[in-house]
């Protein structure tokens, strides 16, 4: 079944009034200033409509599949959604400029939340859109990155780089600026960089998952490197919002010792909101993990782990001891999540869950040896 963005039908005129009346995040783009040198067309609202109209008129867009068209349309509509919250002024080379720092990163989180809660979207389609929003500027700047090859190879693991290129092209065509031709040339260079790295329109293949992890996490490595498998035990890192069913999954599928931070809190009667004592929980958890790892015992690390920063600190520890790490991400629909949380023995306040949804970072293949997605 094809997922469609509401209020958009392919090959029919866009009903901008309907979209504006339906979504506050779209209305919020009105009046959000942009730097006139780079965006002489006007505010973010005007720019976004021009980007979408430019996108659907591209010959490359017209030959995409129906699903790809809806993915790109939605990405274009949301690509600058968080300029509303990040736009400010800054002196650059002595001149006051309008800038929107980190709007793409924040936009990824907002896009994920909208497509999870308000416009229910299948997981992999939602994540493709969220990452297109996050990376929409990459084709413009990839060649200036410290390691352009690694940038485009990573991008290929989370988005279709051909679609990313089309989004970037529409972003440029949907603005009025003096350097349009120069920027379009950068996008062509991005395309060639992807082709050189065997990842234009497809994921870059790695000989092994271990090699993939080393490539993204060690300074000097080749995507074709095949490391000797010297891993000594397995660590299953659970990742999910409260109420998603982590405990149920672990009990049904993983017959292994469990390191649970929640259990440590309950054992020591520590409130999850007590930040000072939660440091003690972390230390107790690390000591328990080291006991397993010194004995080369495989185990489950059961915690919410909803951000990459949370996960990376633990994963680094597990790998230092020679562990093979597999992240297991679990997700259920929004309404089911709230219902399951309400009915669990140790329910989390709903306002806490709502806050966690806005901070959720889905695990990506560069974070561990393996990543598994269990989606209801």
């Amino acid at each position: 079944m094809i997922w469609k963005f509401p209020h958009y039908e392919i090959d029919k005129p866009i009903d901008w009034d309907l979209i504006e009346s339906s979504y506050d995040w779209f209305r919020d783009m009105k009046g959000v200033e942009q730097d006139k040198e780079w965006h002489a067309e006007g505010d973010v609202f005007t720019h976004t409509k021009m980007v979408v109209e430019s996108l659907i008129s591209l010959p490359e867009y017209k030959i995409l599949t129906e699903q790809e068209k809806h993915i790109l349309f939605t990405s274009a509509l949301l690509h600058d959604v968080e300029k509303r919250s990040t736009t400010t002024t800054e002196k650059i080379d002595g001149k006051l400029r309008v800038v929107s720092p980190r709007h793409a990163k924040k936009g990824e989180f907002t896009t994920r939340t909208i497509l999870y809660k308000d416009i229910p979207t299948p997981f992999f389609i939602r994540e493709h859109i969220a990452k297109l929003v996050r990376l929409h500027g990459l084709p413009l700047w990839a060649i200036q990155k410290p390691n352009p090859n690694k940038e485009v190879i990573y991008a290929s693991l989370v988005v279709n780089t051909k679609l990313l290129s089309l989004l970037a092209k529409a972003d440029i065509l949907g603005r009025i600026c003096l350097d349009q031709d120069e920027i379009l040339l950068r996008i062509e260079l991005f395309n060639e960089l992807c082709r050189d790295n065997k990842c234009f329109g497809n994921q870059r293949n790695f000989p092994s998952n271990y090699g993939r992890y080393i490539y993204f996490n060690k300074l000097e490595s080749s995507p074709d490197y095949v490391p000797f498998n010297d891993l000594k035990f397995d660590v299953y890192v659970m990742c999910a919002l409260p109420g998603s069913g982590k405990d149920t999954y672990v009990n049904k599928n993983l017959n292994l010792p469990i390191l649970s931070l929640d259990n440590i809190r309950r054992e020591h009667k520590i409130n999850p909101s007590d930040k000072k004592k939660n440091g003690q929980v972390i230390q107790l958890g690390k000591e328990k993990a080291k006991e397993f790892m010194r004995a080369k015992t495989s185990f489950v690390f059961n915690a919410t782990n909803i951000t990459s920063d949370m996960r990376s600190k633990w994963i680094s520890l597990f790998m230092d001891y020679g562990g093979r790490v597999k992240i297991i991400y679990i997700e259920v629909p929004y309404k089911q999540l709230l219902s399951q949380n309400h009915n669990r023995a140790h329910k989390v306040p709903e306002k806490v869950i709502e806050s966690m949804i806005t901070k959720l970072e889905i695990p990506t293949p560069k974070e561990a040896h393996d990543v598994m997605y269990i989606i209801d």
Side-chain angles (χ1 to χ4, degrees), residues 33-84:
E33 190 181 1
Q34 300 186 107
D35 194 286
K36 291 179 173 57
E37 183 173 329
W38 300 316
H39 288 278
E41 71 278 1
D43 64 8
V44 176
F45 186 79
T46 301
H47 168 62
T48 297
K49 292 199 293 183
M50 288 176 64
V51 169
V52 172
E53 296 283 5
S54 297
L55 174 71
I56 64 175
S57 67
L58 287 172
E60 304 99 306
Y61 180 84
K62 296 180 186 299
I63 62 174
L64 296 175
T65 67
E66 184 178 358
Q67 187 61 85
E68 288 172 332
K69 288 177 180 177
H70 278 279
I71 287 171
L72 262 186
F73 176 91
T74 311
S75 303
L77 198 59
L78 285 158
H79 80 286
D80 279 346
V81 66
E82 282 307 336
K83 279 189 173 179
R84 61 182 177 173

Side-chain angles (χ1 to χ4, degrees), residues 11-38:
D11 297 328
K12 292 185 179 180
I14 300 170
D15 190 337
W16 288 116
D17 290 338
L18 179 57
I19 293 175
E20 181 182 344
S21 66
S22 300
Y23 303 114
D24 57 358
W25 48 263
F26 186 58
R27 296 193 297 273
D28 286 347
M29 297 179 190
K30 281 189 171 182
V32 178
E33 190 181 1
Q34 300 186 107
D35 194 286
K36 291 179 173 57
E37 183 173 329
W38 300 316

Side-chain angles (χ1 to χ4, degrees), residues 230-235 256-257 289-299 321-323:
D230 56 353
L231 303 174
K232 302 175 178 67
F233 55 90
D234 297 313
V235 183
L256 291 169
K290 289 175 184 178
E291 288 179 25
F292 289 137
M293 295 188 293
R294 291 188 191 106
K296 298 179 175 54
T297 299
S298 297
F299 65 99
Y321 278 77

Side-chain angles (χ1 to χ4, degrees), residues 34 57 66-67 69 82 124 217 225 229 232 241 249 288 290 293 316 324 348-349 353 358 365:
Q34 300 186 107
S57 67
E66 184 178 358
Q67 187 61 85
K69 288 177 180 177
E82 282 307 336
F124 290 105
N217 294 280
Y225 172 60
N229 190 349
K232 302 175 178 67
L241 292 164
Y249 179 87
K288 186 64 177 176
K290 289 175 184 178
M293 295 188 293
S316 294
R324 179 188 295 103
V348 175
I353 289 184
T358 66

Side-chain angles (χ1 to χ4, degrees), residues 266-278:
R266 290 167 195 146
E267 182 182 342
H268 291 81
K269 296 181 172 56
I270 294 174
N271 192 306
S273 63
D274 189 332
K275 293 184 179 180
K276 184 175 181 181
K277 288 191 176 180
N278 267 291

Side-chain angles (χ1 to χ4, degrees), residues 291-314:
E291 288 179 25
F292 289 137
M293 295 188 293
R294 291 188 191 106
K296 298 179 175 54
T297 299
S298 297
F299 65 99
V300 177
F301 176 53
N302 191 3
T304 53
N305 292 316
I306 62 166
T307 71
S308 60
D309 185 57
M310 287 179 185
R311 296 189 290 268
S312 67
K313 292 172 182 176
W314 288 95

